[in-house]
Amino acid sequence: MPSFIGLDLAWTAHRESGVCWLQGESPDDLRCTRLGAAVCETESLADEIATAGGPVVVAIDAPLLYTPQRWAEREIARRFARYKASPHQAHYAVRRGYTAGIELGEALAARGFVLDPAPLLEGRRPARTGVEVFPHTIHVRPFGLDEHLPYKPRRGRSVAFRQSAMKSYQRHLRTLIEREAPGLLASEDVQRLLLPETADAARGAALKRLDDTLDGLTCALAAWLLWQKPERWEMVGDLSGYIVVPREIA
């Protein structure tokens, strides 16, 4: 049975990452088997992913491939400027020593995963694939938004403001799940994650954990949709570093 794994990967391995595991063949039988936030040591995480039976797609919010020639973030920032959705620069992260995604990419490649998204995007469904995604692009296109969701911590954003943005995130995510993968709503963990009361109760570390977990579920849904509807996605960048994003629907 295929597995679809989403990782909102922390910049360093000692911080919590959002993690979501899905399994299933069809929108109605897709199930969530793991959902939450956890500290993920690179080699252990790669080992765990590699033990999954059947085809595996891992969608990761973190740079997986990197060379100094990487230009994907600049192009994403240009294409999504009107949505105010711009990714962190991989060059900055690498200079600061934040290389958890690159290290995970190397660990997955050593275990037989393909990090080139081209075969998957062409509908060839390779057995084991890891791809880089950026949740904000998923929000503005499949969610159909005019602007990115402002749920991340920023100067001047109060807890109440972020909670409100989280509740909007929850609503849009539920709508996407109802449309593309309704079987996930059988999961109590998914139902709990999407309750507005969950956002209302979140403070401090719990608010960060909710942020990570929602992004982890979003990444897992991206992995599922890449498998089901690859024609709706495209690679921005090249093998010096890329991000797979939803295509703009005319």
Side-chain angles (χ1 to χ4, degrees):
M1 181 177 295
S3 296
F4 307 96
I5 300 169
L7 299 172
D8 178 36
L9 200 67
W11 283 25
T12 59
H14 67 274
R15 295 181 180 173
E16 287 188 334
S17 297
V19 181
C20 179
W21 291 56
L22 310 178
Q23 285 188 316
E25 299 276 1
S26 73
D28 291 324
D29 72 17
L30 193 66
R31 294 292 183 266
C32 180
T33 60
R34 179 179 174 186
L35 182 64
V39 174
C40 299
E41 192 277 325
T42 301
E43 293 295 322
S44 297
L45 178 58
D47 281 341
E48 186 178 7
I49 292 169
T51 61
V56 182
V57 181
V58 192
I60 304 167
D61 179 16
L64 293 184
L65 298 180
Y66 178 82
T67 75
Q69 289 72 46
R70 180 178 168 119
W71 52 272
E73 285 82 9
R74 292 196 305 274
E75 181 61 14
I76 293 287
R78 185 188 71 80
R79 294 192 192 187
F80 288 85
R82 69 179 183 272
Y83 303 109
K84 301 180 181 178
S86 179
H88 292 292
Q89 291 293 319
H91 300 305
Y92 170 81
V94 169
R95 286 197 300 270
R96 296 287 299 272
Y98 298 137
T99 57
I102 299 166
E103 291 161 9
L104 180 59
E106 292 171 348
L108 290 174
R111 290 160 176 80
F113 279 74
V114 174
L115 302 185
D116 181 353
L120 186 61
L121 292 171
E122 292 164 6
R124 286 188 268 153
R125 291 187 169 183
R128 292 173 176 252
T129 306
V131 300
E132 180 180 345
V133 297
F134 178 39
H136 284 305
T137 66
I138 300 164
H139 300 163
V140 297
R141 285 191 173 162
F143 286 5
L145 304 182
D146 294 327
E147 189 174 308
H148 81 290
L149 292 167
Y151 61 98
K152 295 292 184 181
R154 294 287 188 275
R155 186 186 301 275
R157 289 182 183 172
S158 66
V159 169
F161 180 91
R162 291 185 63 209
Q163 287 171 326
S164 177
M166 292 280 190
K167 286 189 282 189
S168 180
Y169 193 170
Q170 291 170 319
R171 290 193 301 272
H172 287 293
L173 198 51
R174 177 180 287 276
T175 298
L176 182 64
I177 290 170
E178 289 171 345
R179 184 173 72 240
E180 302 287 357
L184 292 183
L185 295 177
S187 165
E188 291 184 3
D189 288 340
V190 172
Q191 288 280 11
R192 188 178 307 111
L193 179 68
L194 300 179
L195 285 173
E197 292 83 358
T198 300
D200 285 333
R203 299 283 193 285
L207 192 60
K208 177 64 167 65
R209 193 167 295 120
L210 177 59
D211 171 336
D212 293 339
T213 306
L214 287 167
D215 281 354
L217 176 55
T218 298
C219 290
L221 282 168
W224 161 253
L225 292 170
L226 276 161
W227 180 263
Q228 288 289 316
K229 300 175 179 179
E231 70 280 0
R232 295 188 181 182
W233 299 77
E234 63 181 322
M235 177 175 75
V236 176
D238 54 30
L239 296 185
S240 70
Y242 69 84
I243 301 173
V244 173
V245 303
R247 291 184 182 275
E248 187 169 18
I249 305 300

